[in-house]
Structures are given as structure tokens and as C-alpha cells.
Amino acid sequence: MIPDPGAPDLPVPGDLDAERAVLGAILLNPAVAAQLLPLLRPAHFYRPWHGQVLEAAQHLHTAGGPVDPIAVHAELRRRGLHGEPGRSSGVLLHDLLAAVPVTTSGGHYARIVLEHAARRRLAQAGVKLVQLAANPHGGTGDLDEVMRDVVQEIACVRAAVDTYHHTPPPLASRARSARGDEGRSLRSVGPDR
């Protein structure tokens, strides 16, 4: 059954607090930056500004430069990114720094961001699957073509979930991860116990 177009929209999975906290941890702690910048992608962030900050930090990291609030601010300005309507990039960066309770928990915040990114990808795939079933390739595709597209969509979701599962634990909890806390299911995500 095709969903009712008049049905209320479901909330989009995202956690802006976790996004701010992981970016703040990256900007304040070089060890967290080195650990997480290679793993995260701008598309993992629900808020586009957060993805732009990550991209600037990744550029600096790759170039061997410092990844700190001043350097990232300068890189954002160099790219012509001056913030969002009503809020300058400096104020927005300050918000990121103020949002991080503990920088060594950056891996934990990253896992939250990646879980929500995987759930958004799953929701996007669901919509695409419904569209494929209702009108495959504009009505000209056969069932085998539709199934290939379905398998491709599911592979993209699997890749998003795999990224979530392979995120390193927070720096402060590496001793716990040695006991086997990694690889928890999506249902068990929460504060490290």
C-alpha cells in the first residue's frame, strides 16, 4: 500500500546537540580531531552549517594545518561562508565550543551523529523503494530492474550502518571497548555504561 500523501510527515532523525558536541570536541582536542575527521562526512550532519564546519576542519587536517576554532573560522571565511542568517560564523563556532561537555567523549557524540545519519539514509531509501514500486523507471522498467535498484538502495543503507558500527569509541572509554562494547546494535545506543 502506498503511503497517504496527506499523512503527517515523520520527524527527520537528527540530534543537533550531538552534532554541536562532536564538532566542538574536534575543534578543542587534537586527538579527537585526528580520530574523527577521517571518519565523518558532511552528509552525516543534519544541519548544513555543521557539514560546512566539518569540511573546513577536514581540509585543514588534510593539509597538515591546525584544526582549532581560529583556523577553522579563517578557513570558513576564505570559503565565503560567513554563517547563517542572523548569526555570524564566529558566533556559531562559539556555540559549538560551548556545546561540548567533555572533549574526550567526541567518539560517543560521533556515534550519535552517525546513528541518525544511518536512520535518515534508511528513511530516504524507504521513500525511494515506494517510488520504485509505484512507478519503476517511469513505468518502463521490468521487475528485475526494480529489484536491482532495491538491492542498490539497501546496500547504501548497509554502508551507512557499517560506518556507524566501525566508529571508534570515545577516547575515555577505550578500556571498556577492549571488553567488547563495540558493535552494539542501533537499539542499544546511549550513554556508555
Side-chain angles (χ1 to χ4, degrees), residues 95-152:
D95 289 349
L96 299 179
L97 302 176
V100 59
V102 181
T103 62
T104 55
S105 294
H108 176 74
Y109 311 137
R111 288 180 63 81
I112 294 169
V113 169
L114 290 171
E115 176 190 359
H116 286 290
R119 290 181 183 281
R120 282 193 306 275
R121 186 62 187 96
L122 180 60
Q124 292 166 350
V127 169
K128 185 164 184 184
L129 296 178
V130 168
Q131 292 169 342
L132 286 170
N135 193 14
H137 303 287
T140 62
D142 67 12
L143 194 53
D144 288 331
E145 286 180 56
V146 172
M147 288 308 298
R148 277 191 293 277
D149 290 342
V150 166
V151 168
Q152 182 177 350

Side-chain angles (χ1 to χ4, degrees), residues 19-33:
E19 290 185 12
R20 284 188 287 270
V22 73
L23 290 170
I26 286 169
L27 294 174
L28 290 172
N29 188 325
V32 172

